[in-house]
Amino acid sequence: MTEADRIARAYQDLEQRAGGRWDPANRGNQMILAERRNLTRRLLDRAGFLPLGDRRVLEVGSGSGAELAWLHELGASSSNLTGIDILPERVTAAGRAHPEIKFLHGNAESMEFGDSTFDLVMAITVFSSIFDRMMAANVASEMLRVLRPGGALLWYDVRYDSLSNRNVRAVTAARVRDLFPSLRGELNTVTLLPPLARRLGRLGAGSYSLLSGVPFLRSHLLGLLRKPAV
């Protein structure tokens, strides 16, 4: 089995047994998403990317397409949004849910885009699923190739190994720097440990904010990493 096959099988297995883990009605999931998107908006605004307007955006591992669709709120034009995913069924589902956005099936180790095509490349919980270091290096190299000088990588992924899913491994800040040595920017610790956040229930945003103020309870890294302008 190739690494690409293993990743595809792992995602398929996870979706089959996920149950209500990602239920959008769960208050904890709502707070996790709101926190991440609020910080993402601030990072993009601070970097001068907002409104997105005619900037071209690629999401590697685009899944349901919800993240790309959210960019409409940041002023993105549908014609400038592209997603690529390794699972054909996810590409089909995303295309049905968001027909105005372009979704492609493919392995991000080799993408059919020209050099410096995109202003923003998104990698949201992608590399934690790639165990093979050569594949990870290839994907990172391709992302850098298609990112224009002065553009940015939007990164969000786990910094701890998953205790419930053996197919998810931590991607530390040092590992991010190793994958993208030429990019510059801060990585912020965010996201209250999801199993804990999902149990907050009616305790609400105050409890989420209080607990997420404890550094070791923040499970993910989020950052906007810039490619030097030529």
Side-chain angles (χ1 to χ4, degrees):
M1 186 188 306
T2 67
E3 178 70 351
D5 291 335
R6 187 199 61 77
I7 293 169
R9 183 172 296 181
Y11 274 113
Q12 290 166 343
D13 178 64
L14 181 61
E15 290 175 357
Q16 288 173 0
R17 59 185 178 85
R21 183 179 302 179
W22 296 299
D23 183 357
N26 181 283
R27 183 66 177 136
N29 286 334
Q30 292 172 4
M31 290 184 286
I32 287 171
L33 184 62
E35 177 192 41
R36 173 163 60 84
R37 287 185 171 174
N38 286 338
L39 181 54
T40 296
R41 186 191 297 266
R42 291 200 299 271
L43 290 173
L44 289 170
D45 189 36
R46 192 181 306 157
F49 275 66
L50 297 186
L52 286 173
D54 60 358
R55 289 184 172 84
R56 300 189 66 183
V57 182
L58 170 69
E59 182 178 12
V60 173
S62 48
S64 69
E67 293 302 322
L68 282 174
W70 173 68
L71 296 184
H72 289 132
E73 296 184 24
L74 305 184
S77 170
S78 296
S79 61
N80 292 323
L81 302 178
T82 303
I84 185 169
D85 200 280
I86 202 168
L87 293 180
E89 57 270 27
R90 295 174 79 178
V91 172
T92 299
R96 288 174 178 166
H98 310 286
E100 74 282 6
I101 298 174
K102 183 178 182 180
F103 294 99
L104 303 171
H105 170 236
N107 183 332
E109 288 184 276
S110 179
M111 297 188 286
E112 296 182 0
F113 306 118
D115 296 353
S116 304
T117 297
F118 297 97
D119 302 283
L120 179 67
V121 175
M122 299 163 57
I124 299 176
T125 60
V126 172
F127 284 84
S128 53
S129 297
I130 305 175
F131 295 174
D132 183 85
R133 295 183 74 86
M134 182 58 71
M135 181 178 185
N138 291 341
V139 173
S141 177
E142 275 291 270
M143 293 169 71
L144 285 172
R145 181 185 66 80
V146 302
L147 182 63
R148 71 165 178 81
L153 167 69
L154 178 63
W155 175 276
Y156 177 76
D157 216 328
V158 297
R159 65 189 187 114
Y160 297 142
D161 289 339
S162 173
L163 298 178
S164 61
N165 184 357
R166 61 184 178 83
N167 289 301
V168 173
R169 293 183 181 174
V171 187
T172 64
R175 176 65 175 143
V176 179
R177 302 299 184 190
D178 181 57
L179 286 165
F180 301 99
S182 64
L183 301 188
R184 298 291 179 266
E186 294 183 2
L187 289 165
N188 307 277
T189 57
V190 296
T191 305
L192 179 63
L193 290 164
L196 177 57
R198 294 179 187 124
R199 287 169 170 77
L200 292 179
R202 295 182 180 180
L203 294 177
S207 296
Y208 184 96
S209 297
L210 180 64
L211 291 171
S212 64
V214 181
F216 73 84
L217 293 181
R218 296 193 290 264
S219 58
H220 289 62
L221 293 171
L222 185 150
L224 190 70
L225 307 178
R226 301 294 297 269
K227 184 176 183 178
V230 175

